[in-house]
Amino acid sequence: MTSTPSTLPLPPGDFGLPLIGETLDFFGDANFATKRFQKHGSIFKTRLLGKPTIFIQGADANRFILTGENQTFVVSWPPSTRALLGKRSLALQVGDIHQNRRKLLAQAFMPRALAGYIATMEEITHRYLQRWETQGQLTWYPELRNYTLDVACKLLVGLDHGSQTPLGQQFEVWCKGLFSIPLPLPWTRFGQAKQCRDRLLQTIEQIIRERQQRSDPGTDTLGLLVQATDEAGNHFSAEELKDQVLLLLFAGHETLTSAVASFCLLTAQYPEVLDKIRQEQQQFPADRPLSLESLREMTYLDQVLKEVLRLVPPVGGGFRTVVQDCEYQGYQIPRGWSVLYQIGTTHKDDLLYPDPDRFDPDRFSPDRIQSQTVDQQKYGYLPFGGGIRECLGKEFARLEMKIFAAQLVRYADWQLLPDQSLEMVTIPTPHPKDELRVRFEKRGMPNGNG
Ligand code: HEM
């Protein structure tokens, strides 16, 4: 950064309409960024949610933004998201507090904690497989939402059948307001979500209080977080824990639903990949319970899941606010503006991924991956973001995806029903427009390991 940034030109691009800029296009057009990158090159400006915003693309751009965290850039969320998450949520914390809270929360995602989650994930997966088999034909996406919510509720706060409880129902209304116009009126999405936030926090508070009084707080996430201490011996206060638990419920639900739905869709469309996954699964007898070790041995399944998250990343990128003037590729990036690092378009960069629209799990085979530089691997493949705000739940997410996928391919067959739109809708997270309608059949249910 040698020249004075303010003498440099601004990036190309249009601000669109006064105030709202190009916000409607951004939310309505899945190819918003791709189209503008094609027109302007790897950097452009626009206006979103009332703020001038710069999009930058490529592994190098991702490195530039993610390594500048807390110095040049700080995390930023839309006003509706900030209000609904609450100021004590990790997603909004910055600087030392953020680092301290991350360490505390990370205690619930250590390998030992994860190993303790496996049996519950298996059990809930079996329950749903049986349910879908009875249904025969179904619209899968809403079912998958219930599935991931049940797993999140059980493992995070110990609640059974969460999707069918008042907490689960309020949670869904709350989610719908997260990216909305922040008008707190009783009939707006935001207003309804705000009311649900208050009720959700009351319920979560009751659950927390009950745990704090138990001699054994339990081994689910909440149990571990109630006991977690930092180096100075401090615990989470009940007030903060409420916001953190709500964040984890959200973060672990929307994204995972999209990821498992994409797995179901892509393996239905690429039967040769499904066959190879099944061949690998034959090495793992049904009566051998799943463990971190056996899951690690499923290396082809690992490649498939990586490729699912490359092709359809549940999170398309991340917003940051510029807190210090800087420059990138000869353009100024002014303080006060927003920047957006790119996950979706980076994963479609044909220099990194030849024939990028093809679902090809062999891209992640060890010999092909070795030909990439460390930076390409780190900042050219980032479904979980990167730097000091990388996804806290990434190992939990990988575990759940793998358990779900392994069980599904072993014990079920599914085909896409005709006459449905598989076009991807991106809000709240990517999923097929008609919500994935399938015929579902049993393939020989497990004996003894569920
Ligand atoms: C396939 C599933 C998932 C994907 C693709 C995903 C993706 C991401 C991404 C891209 C970020 C960074 C956002 C940014 O840079 O602004 C993030 C942050 C985060 N994720 Fe995930 N996530 C997933 C599952 C989960 C799960 C299961 C949990 C917890 C149970 C979780 C908890 C979090 C938290 C707490 C953060 C904020 C971290 C911070 O600000 O320090 N995520 N996730």
Side-chain angles (χ1 to χ4, degrees):
M1 230 185 286
T2 46
S3 55
T4 312
S6 58
T7 62
L8 294 169
L10 287 168
D14 302 312
F15 283 132
L17 297 170
L19 207 66
I20 65 162
E22 299 192 291
T23 311
L24 298 179
D25 277 356
F26 174 70
F27 284 118
D29 181 358
N31 295 314
F32 176 90
T34 310
K35 283 181 191 160
R36 284 159 184 78
F37 283 128
Q38 274 164 2
K39 184 167 169 198
H40 302 295
S42 59
I43 178 165
F44 70 86
K45 67 173 184 304
T46 177
R47 187 189 303 276
L48 298 180
L49 301 159
K51 248 176 123 182
T53 302
I54 294 176
F55 282 55
I56 323 180
Q57 118 162 307
D60 184 60
N62 293 335
R63 189 183 45 74
F64 171 67
I65 295 179
L66 293 170
T67 55
E69 192 86 60
N70 280 350
Q71 289 145 26
T72 321
F73 310 106
V74 290
V75 72
S76 76
W77 292 92
S80 57
T81 322
R82 284 204 301 271
L84 291 173
L85 284 177
K87 60 178 188 297
R88 296 184 192 86
S89 165
L90 183 78
L92 304 183
Q93 290 167 325
V94 293
D96 292 344
I97 294 225
H98 169 255
Q99 287 300 286
N100 173 284
R101 294 312 195 257
R102 241 188 105 96
K103 274 196 206 148
L104 273 175
L105 286 167
Q107 296 179 27
F109 300 104
M110 299 291 184
R112 193 142 61 100
L114 293 174
Y117 298 158
I118 295 177
T120 304
M121 286 182 180
E122 268 192 284
E123 199 183 298
I124 297 176
T125 310
H126 279 168
R127 197 173 75 221
Y128 271 86
L129 291 184
Q130 270 159 346
R131 174 180 156 84
W132 298 332
E133 179 207 318
T134 324
Q135 290 179 351
Q137 282 197 8
L138 66 140
T139 305
W140 217 350
Y141 180 73
E143 286 284 324
L144 291 168
R145 284 188 74 84
N146 286 344
Y147 163 74
T148 61
L149 187 55
D150 279 6
V151 175
C153 285
K154 180 68 187 168
L155 286 177
L156 298 178
V157 295
L159 188 68
D160 284 310
H161 305 274
S163 62
Q164 307 309 314
T165 63
L167 180 133
Q169 283 139 19
Q170 285 154 11
F171 181 74
E172 289 287 8
V173 180
W174 176 84
C175 280
K176 288 200 179 95
L178 279 170
F179 299 95
S180 63
I181 299 159
L183 265 183
L185 299 169
W187 59 87
T188 60
R189 273 202 289 160
F190 179 77
Q192 287 168 0
K194 191 83 177 58
Q195 284 174 5
C196 283
R197 172 178 156 85
D198 297 340
R199 284 189 228 127
L200 281 167
L201 289 184
Q202 279 168 16
T203 313
I204 295 173
E205 182 170 348
Q206 274 168 13
I207 300 176
I208 293 173
R209 298 256 177 251
E210 191 259 322
R211 285 306 178 88
Q212 284 172 327
Q213 281 155 16
R214 273 208 230 156
S215 55
D216 171 15
T219 53
D220 59 8
T221 301
L222 182 59
L224 297 170
L225 293 181
V226 165
Q227 302 170 76
T229 47
D230 65 12
E231 286 115 7
N234 300 314
H235 291 274
F236 277 117
S237 68
E239 208 50 41
E240 176 172 353
L241 205 43
K242 284 193 285 186
D243 276 357
Q244 302 293 21
V245 166
L246 193 54
L247 168 69
L248 293 179
L249 278 172
F250 159 64
H253 168 48
E254 284 290 351
T255 47
L256 265 167
T257 307
S258 172
V260 292
S262 300
F263 174 82
C264 297
L265 171 64
L266 288 163
T267 42
Q269 289 175 319
Y270 290 80
E272 67 283 8
V273 172
L274 186 55
D275 283 349
K276 276 182 82 173
I277 304 175
R278 284 190 169 136
Q279 271 168 34
E280 183 180 71
Q281 287 303 309
Q282 282 168 8
Q283 298 166 31
F284 303 94
D287 55 1
R288 185 176 152 196
L290 293 177
S291 63
L292 287 184
E293 197 190 23
S294 65
L295 290 163
R296 236 188 327 266
E297 287 165 18
M298 298 176 188
T299 52
Y300 183 69
L301 183 56
D302 217 39
Q303 285 176 212
V304 175
L305 295 174
K306 278 192 178 138
E307 177 67 347
V308 168
L309 292 178
R310 180 196 69 83
L311 196 56
V312 196
V315 179
F319 281 98
R320 299 291 186 266
T321 297
V322 184
V323 288
Q324 188 185 308
D325 287 327
C326 57
E327 61 153 292
Y328 187 74
Q329 286 185 347
Y331 293 108
Q332 58 161 308
I333 315 267
R335 190 153 71 105
W337 286 35
S338 290
V339 288
L340 181 62
Y341 78 87
Q342 295 292 313
I343 299 173
T345 61
T346 306
H347 287 185
K348 293 282 185 80
D349 181 342
D350 54 10
L351 293 174
L352 295 171
Y353 303 103
D355 196 4
D357 292 323
R358 194 180 136 67
F359 180 58
D360 174 15
D362 287 330
R363 292 178 201 279
F364 292 100
S365 63
D367 43 332
R368 278 174 66 184
I369 209 69
Q370 267 165 22
S371 64
Q372 290 195 346
T373 65
V374 173
D375 257 16
Q376 278 172 340
Q377 284 177 32
K378 204 161 158 190
Y379 298 107
Y381 179 75
L382 63 173
F384 295 104
I388 56 173
R389 301 204 87 101
E390 190 184 33
C391 177
L392 184 76
K394 98 175 174 183
E395 295 308 332
F396 182 103
R398 286 189 170 138
L399 185 69
E400 185 171 332
M401 283 177 73
K402 218 164 187 181
I403 290 176
F404 172 82
Q407 310 277 74
L408 182 71
V409 304
R410 284 180 188 188
Y411 305 123
D413 276 312
W414 63 102
Q415 292 92 36
L416 301 174
L417 290 173
D419 306 321
Q420 61 174 317
S421 170
L422 297 174
E423 189 196 325
M424 283 302 205
V425 188
T426 49
I427 307 281
T429 48
H431 63 275
K433 194 166 171 192
D434 284 348
E435 304 200 317
L436 203 57
R437 293 171 40 235
V438 292
R439 179 172 306 107
F440 196 92
E441 283 157 357
K442 176 181 173 158
R443 212 187 136 78
M445 284 302 277
N447 39 13
N449 72 336

